[in-house]
Amino acid sequence: MSLRIATAGLDLMAEALRAQGAAVTAVDWRPPGGGDPDAVATLTAAYGDARIDEANARAVERLQAARPAIVGAGRADELIPGLEGRLVLHAGPPVEWERMCAPQRNAVCGAIVLEGWADSLEEAAPMVARGDVRIAPAHSLNAAGAMCGVISPSMAVWAARDEVGGGVGYSPFCDGPGEAFWLGVGSPEAIRRQRIMAEEIAPGFAAALRAEGPIDAFALCAQGIAMGDDCHMRHQATTMLLLRQTLPAMAEHAPAAVLPTARMLAGNGHFALTVTIAAARAALMGIQGTPASSVVVFISRNGTDAAVQLAGLPDRWFTTPAPLVGDPLYRPGFSDADAAPDIGDSALVECCGLGAAASAASPGVAAFLGGGLQDAVERTRQMEDICLSRSERLRIPTLDGEGTPLGVDARACADLGSTPLINTGILHRVDGGQIGAGIARTPLEPIRDGLAALVEHLGPA
C-alpha cells in the first residue's frame, strides 16, 4: 500500500515531502478570518443565518435582471435632481475640505471657475473653506464619477435608468487624458474641454437619444468585452461602439455636434467609461436596501478615505484610510512618493461584473501592467473566489464564454482575507494628472466592519 499525504496550508511541508518522493495533495487552506476570534464569530453568525443567504439570492437575481440604459445627456443641473445652487459633487464618501486630497481640490476649484463663481483657482479655494460653495459626495445625488469625479451644474453628464428595477445613475462626461477635471487638473485647458462637452458634444448625444431611444449600456459593455475591453481600465472598443450606435442619428439631427464629438473621441479611449459608471450606478441602486444582504453594493474612494456600502445597510459608509494603488506601473520619473492614494467611484463597476472581474477578457490591460493572459485570468479567478455568481450577460471569450464574477459577498471577503481588485489609474498627489496605473485592492477593514454591523443589525437568527 502506497502512502498518500494531504497537507493543509503548509507549503513548506508539502515541498519537503515531495522532495522525499512522497505523493502529496496540498490543500490551500487558511484559518477563517485570518484566525481572528472576532472575525470568526462574525463569520459563524453570518454563514449560519438563512436570512442573509435568501437576501443575497434576491440581490444577485436583481443584478442579473438589471437593464440599465442611457436615457439622457446634458447639463447636470437639468438632469440631476437636487443639484442646485453653488454645489459641487465629488468622488468618494463624505470628506471635509480640510481633509480633501490635492487632486480633488484642484478639480473642485476648476469647477468653481467654470461656473463663474470665482475668477481663478486661488479665489475658489477660500470660497469652499468659508462655505460659499458647498461640496457633497456624488453618491448623495445618485451619481458617481471616475477618479476625482467632480460634477457642477453646467457640466455635461449622462443619465441612466434601470428599465427593470427603476434605479437611476448619473456620471460626468469623461474629458480625456492630460489636463482634465477627472484627473485632478483645473487648468484653463480643462475648463475649455468642459465647455465644449456641455455646449457642443452633449447636445449631439441628447439628439441621438431622442431620435433613437435609450442605449442598452450593458449590451455595449458585453460587446466591448468580446473585443478586448475590461470596461474599466480599457474602454476603446466600447467607446467606438457607442459612436457607431449614435453617429447616424447625431449626423441627421445635430450635425454641428459631429466634428467636436469625433475630435473628442479620437483622443479619448476612455470616453465610454462614465457611460458604464452611470449604468452600473443605476443597476446597483436596484439592490441597495435589500434587507439582510451582505453583497457589497458600492466601493468608493476620495484620495483620503476608502469606503464600502453593503446592500443590507443602505446609506451607511464603512471607511478606512485610502491606500496607494498596488502593482503600480509609473511613467518615467515618478514613484510612490509622487502618488496620490486611491481615488474614484468607478470601482462600482467591479460590483457589476466589470473591470477586474472581466480581466481575462483584456490581455491588453495585463500587458500594459507588465503581465500576460495568465495574469489576467488569475485576476478574474480571484474575483470569482469572493463572488456569489457569474453574469449571464457579460461573458469572456477567452474563458469559453464564462460569465464574469458577479455579486461580491462581504462574507467571502472576510473569510478569505481577499477583497475586490480595482483596475485604476494613479494621480500625482499634488499637481494631479495621471502618472501611472495599477491594481488597487479594496481594503479589508471596512468590509469586515460592515459585515459585523450587518450581523449586529439582524440580531440572532
Side-chain angles (χ1 to χ4, degrees):
M1 179 182 295
S2 60
L3 180 65
R4 296 184 61 82
I5 303 170
T7 63
L10 300 171
D11 292 340
L12 291 175
M13 182 175 289
E15 292 168 6
L17 290 167
R18 288 194 185 100
Q20 298 175 60
V24 179
T25 299
V27 178
D28 183 14
W29 179 87
R30 286 164 284 178
D36 177 80
D38 292 335
V40 170
T42 296
L43 287 166
T44 300
Y47 276 121
D49 194 330
R51 295 172 294 180
I52 295 180
D53 290 328
E54 293 166 2
N56 286 349
R58 289 195 301 274
V60 170
E61 183 179 3
R62 289 172 184 166
L63 269 181
Q64 296 280 23
R67 292 295 183 272
I70 299 301
V71 297
R75 283 175 57 108
D77 58 359
E78 296 174 355
L79 293 177
I80 303 179
L83 186 58
E84 302 169 348
R86 292 185 170 187
L87 173 62
V88 179
L89 304 181
H90 63 78
V95 61
E96 303 83 7
W97 178 250
E98 295 75 17
R99 297 180 62 242
M100 184 176 280
C101 72
Q104 190 125 69
R105 283 191 179 206
N106 297 343
V108 169
C109 289
I112 292 171
V113 176
L114 170 70
E115 299 301 333
W117 303 334
D119 293 328
S120 67
L121 302 182
E122 292 73 23
E123 287 183 21
M127 294 180 70
V128 185
R130 292 193 304 266
D132 295 338
V133 173
R134 295 175 294 133
I135 55 173
H139 276 290
S140 66
L141 294 183
N142 298 321
M147 305 302 282
C148 294
V150 297
I151 304 175
S152 62
S154 69
M155 288 174 59
V157 299
W158 301 105
R161 183 179 66 244
D162 177 6
E163 298 180 338
V164 175
V168 296
Y170 309 94
S171 192
F173 275 36
C174 180
D175 39 348
E179 297 183 49
F181 279 12
W182 77 302
L183 299 178
V185 179
S187 67
E189 168 60 19
I191 292 169
R192 185 188 72 85
R193 283 192 207 176
Q194 291 294 334
R195 292 197 172 114
I196 290 174
M197 289 191 296
E199 297 168 9
E200 302 180 35
I201 297 175
F205 283 104
L209 290 166
R210 286 193 298 270
E212 299 294 331
I215 297 170
D216 185 334
F218 280 4
L220 279 185
C221 290
Q223 294 178 72
I225 287 172
M227 297 167 68
D229 284 355
D230 69 341
C231 290
H232 194 163
M233 190 178 289
R234 188 182 193 275
H235 257 92
Q236 279 90 336
T238 312
T239 295
M240 293 302 102
L241 291 166
L242 173 67
L243 184 62
R244 184 183 72 175
Q245 185 162 340
T246 55
L247 186 59
M250 188 184 298
E252 181 177 357
H253 299 283
V258 172
L259 182 56
T261 300
R263 284 175 173 160
M264 170 62 72
L265 270 64
N268 182 1
H270 284 297
F271 187 76
L273 170 59
T274 51
V275 169
T276 302
I277 291 172
R281 182 64 176 76
L284 291 164
M285 191 174 178
I287 68 169
Q288 189 182 23
T290 304
S293 175
S294 64
V295 171
V296 177
V297 67
F298 296 136
I299 302 168
S300 194
R301 308 93 72 213
N302 56 32
T304 300
D305 300 313
V308 300
Q309 282 189 16
L310 303 190
L313 294 172
D315 303 320
R316 286 190 64 181
W317 288 110
F318 297 91
T319 65
T320 196
L324 293 177
V325 174
D327 296 329
L329 179 64
Y330 290 110
R331 291 174 176 170
F334 296 104
S335 68
D336 282 354
D338 305 297
D342 193 21
I343 187 169
D345 294 321
S346 58
L348 57 81
V349 307
E350 267 79 13
C351 298
C352 285
L354 296 163
S359 289
S362 190
V365 170
F368 174 76
L369 295 171
L373 177 59
Q374 192 54 48
D375 300 285
V377 171
E378 177 58 27
R379 292 186 187 110
T380 293
R381 295 301 183 212
Q382 288 183 44
M383 290 293 292
E384 191 173 79
D385 288 343
I386 56 174
C387 285
L388 293 162
S389 186
R390 290 177 178 167
S391 174
E392 296 168 0
R393 298 194 77 191
L394 307 170
R395 298 185 177 275
I396 303 175
T398 50
L399 297 181
D400 296 325
E402 281 185 19
T404 62
L406 181 70
V408 177
D409 186 1
R411 297 176 302 178
C413 295
D415 184 1
L416 299 175
S418 180
T419 59
L421 302 170
I422 307 166
N423 294 348
T424 190
I426 303 171
L427 302 184
H428 192 280
R429 65 183 182 86
V430 176
D431 300 327
Q434 186 170 0
I435 62 171
I439 306 294
R441 187 177 284 278
T442 308
L444 180 60
E445 292 82 358
I447 295 179
R448 279 185 172 174
D449 292 345
L451 184 62
L454 180 66
V455 168
E456 181 180 2
H457 173 74
L458 293 175

